[in-house]
Amino acid sequence: MTIPDSRPPIPDISLELFPPRTPAGWDKLPTLLGELATLRPAFFSVTYGAGGSEQNGTYDTLMKVVDQTGIEAAPHLTCVGSTRNHIAAMLAQYREAGVRRIVALRGDLPATSMGSGAPGDFRYANELVAFVREQHGDHFRIEVAAYPEMHPQAAGPAADFEAFRRKAEAGADAAITQYFFNADAYFDFVDRCARANLTLPIVPGIMPITNHAQLTRFSAACGAEIPRWIRLRLEQLKDDKPALLDFGTEVVTRLCQTLLAGGAPGLHVYTLNQSEPTLRLWRGLGLNL
Ligand code: FAD
């Protein structure tokens, strides 16, 4: 007789990393991967270009993930700063290395070209998705970005939704959202997708709350709203790290519970290369630890 596993089912979880930027960061990577691998994510993703990271950093991090953990890893690819030939070469290199999944993005623009497409051969992410499909058919599973609170440079909510639709119709398999703290923004976006017959899974992106100044800076840049009640509490707790972590864990755990209970197909956690906030979240959610 098998004893039924009473643990809750594991949702489709992915964890995002960035390539370490310092020798000390590389030294810590094996420990970080060891701790995060205990969470049994479906895959890790590795950013590209964000914060000045280079392609080699993305590739090397990706290889370390696969070699050490045996868990699938997906590189992010961006239009910004890449020609058609360069992207073709990166795709060939990733395919050669056994990669089956990528995250296709426009990338963040230099301040001088804000409000327009990326300078380069591909201006928007839908063109990159179409190129990957044209070159590699169904070899890669393609994830794209989604913005429940609207991308900050979009002409408006309708135009931004059309941009998302173009990515889906170009062949994206799934989407990962920008982070948000208001579950209704996510549910509204999912409803709009359903009404538009876009059936791809929309996985919420989750940002652990660990640092008041950093979260404020990120949120201003990416257009994520920090609700007033959270902002005020964080301001109050900013010099009391343990209390801020407790509060942040409570808020984000509750958000994830609401999202999963409301039908979110999984969670994509922006780990910022720290294991403890994600481990705390897992404990809060009663996931597989
Ligand atoms: P797009 O879907 O191309 O949209 C960009 C903007 O252009 C939107 O405002 C959209 O409404 C508008 N738009 C789209 N098509 C058109 C059109 N035809 N005409 C006019 N306007 C249009 N950045 C990095 O540099 N590296 C990373 O590794 C990285 N990882 C990320 C991971 C996730 C899960 C997310 C959510 C974001 C990530 N980003 C990363 C940030 C992302 O690159 C930026 O948010 C970027 O500004 C937009 O990328 P996108 O792929 O959503 O672009």
Side-chain angles (χ1 to χ4, degrees), residues 16 47-48 50 76 78 105-108 124-125 145 147 151 153-154 160 163 166-167 176-178 270:
E16 185 171 308
T47 65
Y48 173 56
H76 295 203
T78 68
L105 304 144
R106 183 192 67 177
D108 281 322
Y124 298 106
Y147 299 86
H151 184 266
Q153 290 143 23
D160 203 34
R166 278 194 289 276
K167 293 191 279 196
I176 301 169
T177 76
Q178 184 56 275
Y270 299 105

